[in-house]
Amino acid sequence: MKKLLSLSLALFFTLTINSSMAVAQSSVVVMSRNIYLGADVGKALELIPDLPAAAQFMWDQMRTTDFATRAELLADEINQSQPDVIGVQEATIWRCQKNIWSKKTTVYDFIEILLGKLSGKYVVAEFNGVKAYNPGFSISPIPYLTRVEDPKVFKELFSQNSAFCGFETGDLLLVKKQLQNQIINLGNSEYEATYSIVPTIMTVYRGYSWADIKINGVPTRFITTHLESLWDENKVPNSARQARQLILDTKNTAMPLIIMGDFNSDPRDPRGSNSVNPGEQPVQSESCPIKSSICNAYKLMIESGFKDAGPNSLDPKNFSWGMSADLTGADETRRVFAEKMGNEFGFTDRLDYIFYKNGVNLKESKIFGLKPKYPSDHAGVVANLEVINTSNLVSPGLDSHKPFPISFWQWVAIVIILLITWLSWRK
């Protein structure tokens, strides 16, 4: 009888311990996906100061890359991997207005289109009426300066052939619908470092969105971000400056932390003067010594204690950027270099990552979206992570740095350009 009692007690405690361990650790699948705003901003910049030509170029290319079709491919990727949380970059809304006095009309909302393809299985993370969406780079419809012609679209919308159009693209968190009621905090924030394309008028803002979500009862913080791609020679790139702020902003986060994003930083940056650099990543200079982390967002994240979910970011097979802007295949100027480096798909740089720390372990990860058909100019990253409950604490929310508003002198500059453009057209 005593032996039976002892065996029963042993079995009870074993089951109790195993049950406790099951609660203490759980898996979460996360995805980082740059869905591409649909047009090559770099090419458009080459057309400035002819802003109408730049606007027309971007509109035409966005229509050619056709997000409705791409959304089906993105939905297929998501349905295949079944991520619990998706960090989206370049979540884009294209808006137009009929004339100076009319309201802006949303013509294409990429996230609404994508959610429709996902049949209600995913939602934008939301808490207390705030959505995890941080608008970053945007160009508002500006009368005359951003006029585009597209009779097929505007005849139906505005009963005319043209309209003033612009876009807004930012970072966003999507979650499985059943996780929506597990969100316990959420917010959006801006980086202080910005990049001016046209001084005082056109400034690129970047930031991040975050949400604290209970994963099998374990409070876990998720962040999606998109660091700056533009850089100037002999200056610390904004991507590195923004990474430093992200590290500083999250330094008091003790709970499990997972960051997904397009960091616009390759482990090889800055490149040496004789290094292969078809993607035109930052190069070494007095301000950016080679092999230093000063100008490398990726290295800064690693040095601060984050782990890279991989797969191996130094392996050319795992590069995540290099498609042509029109999504017809690898960019021809980069294809040859990619093949020489060991990437058969035409990708030349690794820019997309999933970082983690504070009681998170990696189970497996992979790069996807390397083969036709291409839903984006980036490949994506998906990782199966194990969240280990060591404290069950909830860290304070992150600071909500606000966007910097357009100053008085920026508005003055816009008005002057409008007047000059209007007078030139009258002639």
Side-chain angles (χ1 to χ4, degrees), residues 177-355:
K177 191 172 183 179
Q178 58 266 36
L179 277 180
Q180 182 66 59
N181 60 7
Q182 298 301 309
I183 298 174
I184 57 176
N185 203 358
L186 179 151
N188 303 289
S189 193
E190 294 284 332
Y191 295 124
E192 293 179 7
T194 61
Y195 192 97
S196 291
I197 297 173
V198 180
T200 77
I201 299 177
M202 196 182 302
T203 300
V204 181
Y205 298 94
R206 301 288 188 184
Y208 58 88
S209 296
W210 61 275
D212 295 342
I213 307 173
K214 287 188 176 181
I215 303 299
N216 288 346
V218 181
T220 305
R221 178 162 291 168
F222 299 87
I223 296 176
T224 178
T225 191
H226 189 179
L227 306 189
E228 185 54 59
S229 60
L230 302 173
W231 58 276
D232 295 317
E233 289 191 21
N234 204 27
K235 289 185 179 180
V236 175
N238 272 4
S239 59
R241 297 169 64 192
Q242 291 162 353
R244 285 194 186 89
Q245 181 181 330
L246 181 60
I247 292 164
L248 185 63
D249 285 357
T250 58
K251 71 175 184 178
N252 293 324
T253 297
M255 62 202 289
L257 176 58
I258 299 168
I259 301 181
M260 303 154 282
D262 175 356
F263 279 71
N264 275 305
S265 176
D266 185 288
R268 297 166 292 173
D269 298 340
R271 310 296 170 89
S273 55
N274 296 320
S275 299
V276 176
N277 189 15
E280 298 182 347
Q281 288 294 104
V283 297
Q284 71 177 110
S285 65
E286 186 177 342
S287 298
C288 295
I290 197 165
K291 295 184 179 180
S292 169
S293 63
I294 294 172
C295 297
N296 189 305
Y298 175 85
K299 290 179 181 177
L300 289 169
M301 294 293 289
I302 297 300
E303 288 179 1
S304 70
F306 283 94
K307 293 182 179 179
D308 174 10
N312 187 355
S313 297
L314 288 171
D315 188 339
K317 294 178 182 177
N318 298 322
F319 291 164
S320 64
W321 182 77
M323 284 300 99
S324 62
D326 57 8
L327 303 182
T328 55
D331 185 286
E332 289 305 318
T333 62
R334 294 191 289 269
R335 182 191 294 275
V336 175
F337 295 100
E339 291 175 351
K340 286 181 179 179
M341 286 187 282
N343 187 289
E344 61 180 301
F345 306 108
F347 288 75
T348 56
D349 299 274
R350 180 64 182 269
L351 306 180
D352 305 87
Y353 306 96
I354 296 171
F355 294 107

Side-chain angles (χ1 to χ4, degrees), residues 51-53 55-56 59-60 94-100 102-107 140-166 425:
L51 290 175
Q56 187 70 55
W59 181 266
D60 290 343
W94 289 82
R95 297 187 178 97
C96 301
Q97 60 186 100
K98 181 176 182 178
N99 52 49
I100 296 175
S102 61
K103 293 182 179 179
K104 297 175 187 176
T105 299
T106 296
V107 182
S140 294
I142 304 174
Y144 304 109
L145 291 184
T146 63
R147 180 194 294 274
V148 298
E149 297 280 337
D150 192 338
K152 189 173 182 179
V153 172
F154 301 134
K155 274 287 187 183
E156 183 178 347
L157 279 176
F158 304 130
S159 300
Q160 60 188 42
N161 293 336
S162 64
F164 310 130
C165 296
W425 282 352

